[in-house]
């Protein structure tokens, strides 16, 4: 589709939902399969789903999409603005951190009042935007509302790191805002490593990383970060000795509608996302989700990451993903069907009771688990969430060239860590 012409006469409001199906736009700057899976679940819940994504996103092959539009790396806010004005969705769901940032910036800068209302309706009040994208600020808010969190602080300078070291022994964790999939997280076991790690992480966006994403992923969005010489805000957290867990949440104006808790069984790396997860019932994680969603008046889909302390079993909230995560797209019965809960609330109708996709407690995420190890026992003993109802999507995600790209990416990732003088994670 060509670009829409924006003018002073462009619509500034959006149609009220009556008897029609809710219109939902998924916006992503990446190519994670979870955005395509979420599109399927939202469609199954009777929503009209459109996708704003870079070219060659796997979701392009879905036959359930109402519209497909291109998310352009060098004109991201215009891409969003054109899509929102043309498609007039009732809700927009970001699927990665860059899309979240672009929506925040568009909300602040657009001259269309209707777009500002839509973005706040989709994410929460604009006052909450800085908190949801700052790891240090988010944990501070969570702590004030009675959520168990590790000690943490912002690191605006290396002097702040010196202050932390004087008060907290190693190990601890350095984190860069705006990162995901384990990048931008460094576990420091020896304080002598901390300043070198901080200096490495605070550097401007890498041209080499941008080139890697362009060549291997066909994604130009990292190029924008490099061209703008972006540097991440840094924070530090106390280390929790235990294992990772997370919760996917569908929420509406500060209320949790549905949620699913899992603990990680296998991960991409020591600090990366899970490839295999176990469904759990953790009241402390659920309570934390309710508290932070209410405190920030959040709407949409989010993920919250935790560490379960080995010695006590306590769940420590360590960060928020202000967008949907893979578990959000897995339908697991009443109270755990996030797509249905969100669409029903948006449409003003009761939730439809739909059966769980599995009764097993182990989930193997497709295609990551299979790509890591096709003989992994959990592909057979657990529930492997292959989207068989969309065979073309399965074919695209299983293309041999994608699998080769995955192994090359792992190879380059290890080389990248070694260039930084660090031991590769995982």
């Amino acid at each position: 589709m060509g670009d829409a012409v924006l003018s002073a006469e462009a619509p500034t409001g959006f149609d009220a939902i009556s008897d029609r199906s809710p219109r939902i736009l998924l916006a992503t700057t990446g190519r994670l399969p979870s955005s395509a899976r979420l599109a399927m679940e939202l469609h199954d819940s009777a929503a009209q789903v459109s996708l704003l994504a870079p070219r060659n996103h796997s979701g392009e092959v879905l036959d359930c999409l109402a519209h497909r539009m291109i998310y352009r790396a060098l004109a991201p806010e215009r891409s969003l603005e054109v899509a929102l004005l043309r498609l007039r969705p009732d809700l927009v769901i970001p699927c990665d951190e860059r899309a979240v940032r672009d929506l925040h910036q568009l909300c602040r800068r657009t001259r269309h009042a209707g777009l500002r209302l839509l973005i706040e309706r989709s994410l929460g009040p604009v006052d909450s935007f800085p908190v949801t994208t700052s790891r240090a600020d988010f944990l501070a808010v969570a702590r004030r509302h009675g959520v168990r969190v590790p000690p943490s602080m912002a690191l605006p300078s290396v002097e702040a790191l010196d202050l932390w070291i004087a008060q907290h022994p190693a190990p601890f964790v350095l984190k860069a805002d705006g990162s995901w999939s384990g990048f931008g997280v460094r576990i420091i076991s020896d304080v002598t490593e901390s300043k070198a790690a901080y200096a490495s992480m605070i550097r401007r966006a890498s041209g080499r990383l941008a080139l890697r994403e362009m060549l291997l992923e066909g994604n130009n969005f990292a190029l924008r970060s490099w061209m703008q010489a972006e540097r991440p805000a840094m924070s530090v957290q106390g280390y929790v000795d235990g294992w990772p867990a997370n919760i996917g949440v569908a929420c509406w104006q500060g209320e949790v509608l549905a949620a699913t808790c899992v603990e990680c069984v296998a991960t991409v790396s020591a600090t990366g996302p899970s490839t295999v997860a176990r469904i759990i019932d953790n009241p402390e994680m659920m309570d934390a989700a309710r508290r932070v969603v209410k405190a920030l008046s959040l709407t949409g889909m989010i993920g919250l990451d935790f560490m379960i302390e080995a010695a006590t079993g306590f769940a420590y909230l360590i960060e928020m993903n202000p967008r949907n995560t893979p578990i959000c797209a897995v339908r697991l019965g009443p109270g755990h069907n996030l797509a249905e809960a969100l669409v029903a609330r948006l449409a003003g109708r009761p939730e439809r009771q739909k059966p769980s996709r599995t009764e097993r407690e182990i989930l193997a995420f497709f295609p990551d688990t299979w790509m890591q190890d096709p003989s992994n026992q959990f592909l057979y003993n657990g529930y492997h969430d292959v989207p068989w109802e969309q065979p073309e999507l399965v074919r695209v995600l299983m293309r041999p060239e994608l699998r080769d790209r995955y192994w090359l990416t792992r190879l380059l990732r290890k080389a990248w860590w070694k260039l930084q003088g660090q031991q590769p994670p995982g």
Side-chain angles (χ1 to χ4, degrees):
M1 295 182 180
D3 287 345
V5 177
L6 301 181
S7 68
E9 287 73 35
T12 58
F14 291 83
D15 299 334
I17 302 173
S18 52
D19 295 330
R20 64 172 174 80
S21 298
R23 295 189 294 250
I24 297 178
L25 174 65
L26 299 182
T28 179
T29 69
R31 290 184 171 82
L32 293 175
S34 56
S35 52
R37 301 305 307 279
L38 181 58
M40 294 169 54
E41 287 299 327
L42 292 168
H43 177 265
D44 287 348
S45 297
Q48 298 180 43
V49 185
S50 299
L51 178 67
L52 177 67
R55 295 184 186 277
N56 301 320
H57 188 280
S58 59
E60 291 180 354
V61 304
L62 294 174
D63 59 18
C64 60
L65 292 179
H67 300 90
R68 303 166 181 82
M69 296 186 71
I70 304 301
Y71 204 147
R72 304 187 188 281
L74 300 184
E77 290 177 45
R78 178 168 172 78
S79 297
L80 275 169
E81 190 167 42
V82 168
L84 295 176
L85 290 171
R86 175 172 295 169
L87 302 179
R88 300 170 66 87
D90 304 298
L91 196 74
V92 56
I93 298 177
C95 299
D96 61 75
E97 279 75 5
R98 288 192 189 111
V100 171
R101 180 184 63 181
D102 290 342
L103 282 166
H104 289 180
Q105 290 180 349
L106 177 60
C107 187
R108 296 186 184 101
R109 297 175 183 176
T110 184
R111 58 186 175 84
H112 296 282
L115 293 190
R116 289 193 294 271
L117 291 173
L118 168 62
I119 294 170
E120 288 197 84
R121 172 191 174 104
S122 300
L123 305 180
V126 69
D127 291 346
S128 71
F129 290 177
V131 177
T132 60
T133 54
S134 167
R135 285 169 163 146
D137 290 348
F138 172 72
L139 288 191
V141 169
R143 182 183 296 109
R144 287 201 300 269
H145 286 82
V147 177
R148 191 189 309 275
V149 300
S152 64
M153 64 179 285
L155 293 179
S157 65
V158 71
E159 288 76 22
L161 179 58
D162 288 333
L163 179 61
W164 171 273
I165 292 172
Q167 299 175 357
H168 301 85
F172 50 82
V173 186
L174 296 180
K175 293 190 172 184
D177 286 352
S179 60
W180 63 93
S181 296
F183 290 107
V185 177
R186 192 80 61 87
I187 299 173
I188 303 298
S189 56
D190 185 341
V191 294
T192 60
E193 307 169 353
S194 59
K195 291 189 178 180
Y198 179 87
S200 173
M201 296 172 72
I202 201 68
R203 286 197 301 233
R204 60 171 285 181
S206 167
R208 286 180 292 177
L209 182 59
L211 182 62
R212 181 186 73 81
E213 287 205 26
M214 288 175 61
L215 295 178
L216 295 181
E217 307 294 338
N219 192 329
N220 298 328
F221 280 86
L223 181 64
R224 174 178 47 143
S225 299
W226 173 69
M227 292 174 63
Q228 295 177 348
E230 294 178 0
R231 296 178 185 270
M234 295 290 297
S235 64
V236 61
Q237 293 179 10
Y239 178 77
V240 179
D241 186 15
W243 58 91
N246 59 77
I247 180 171
V249 179
C251 48
W252 184 264
Q253 297 178 357
E255 175 191 355
V256 171
L257 304 178
T260 299
C261 297
V262 296
E263 60 183 15
C264 301
V265 175
T267 59
V268 172
S269 66
T271 58
S274 62
T275 55
V276 180
R278 176 181 290 105
I279 303 167
I280 61 173
D281 178 17
N282 190 303
E284 187 175 14
M285 290 170 61
M286 285 294 301
D287 180 66
R290 293 189 182 99
R291 288 173 183 265
V292 298
V293 165
K294 182 178 180 181
L296 297 171
S297 298
L298 298 178
T299 290
M301 289 190 177
I302 64 166
L304 299 174
D305 290 344
F306 293 79
M307 287 295 294
I308 308 299
E309 190 173 45
T312 64
F314 293 153
Y316 284 82
L317 177 61
I318 59 171
E319 66 183 55
M320 171 184 173
N321 301 297
R323 39 80 182 177
N324 73 291
T325 58
I327 193 61
C328 294
V330 182
R331 188 179 74 230
L332 295 172
H336 309 289
N337 184 352
L338 278 63
E340 171 64 21
L342 190 59
V343 173
R345 180 59 63 91
L346 185 60
R349 62 166 173 80
E351 289 184 42
R352 299 177 302 178
Q353 298 304 312
K354 303 172 73 174
S356 173
R357 289 194 175 274
T358 181
E359 298 302 321
R360 300 182 182 184
E361 66 172 8
I362 295 292
L363 301 175
F365 293 109
F366 177 83
D368 296 334
T369 309
W370 173 79
M371 282 183 166
Q372 272 197 325
D373 180 10
S375 63
N376 189 309
Q377 61 171 325
F378 295 118
L379 296 176
Y380 311 98
N381 299 338
Y383 171 66
H384 192 198
D385 73 328
V386 184
W388 297 115
E389 59 269 48
Q390 290 286 339
E392 188 63 16
L393 178 62
V394 175
R395 186 193 69 80
V396 167
L397 295 176
M398 293 183 69
R399 283 197 315 231
E401 60 266 33
L402 288 183
R403 183 168 175 170
D404 293 340
R405 179 187 298 167
Y406 176 84
W407 286 107
L408 183 56
T409 299
R410 289 195 69 191
L411 209 64
L412 290 179
R413 181 181 293 169
K414 289 183 178 180
W416 172 262
W417 280 95
K418 289 180 179 179
L419 281 172
Q420 307 306 310
Q422 299 293 324
Q423 181 67 25

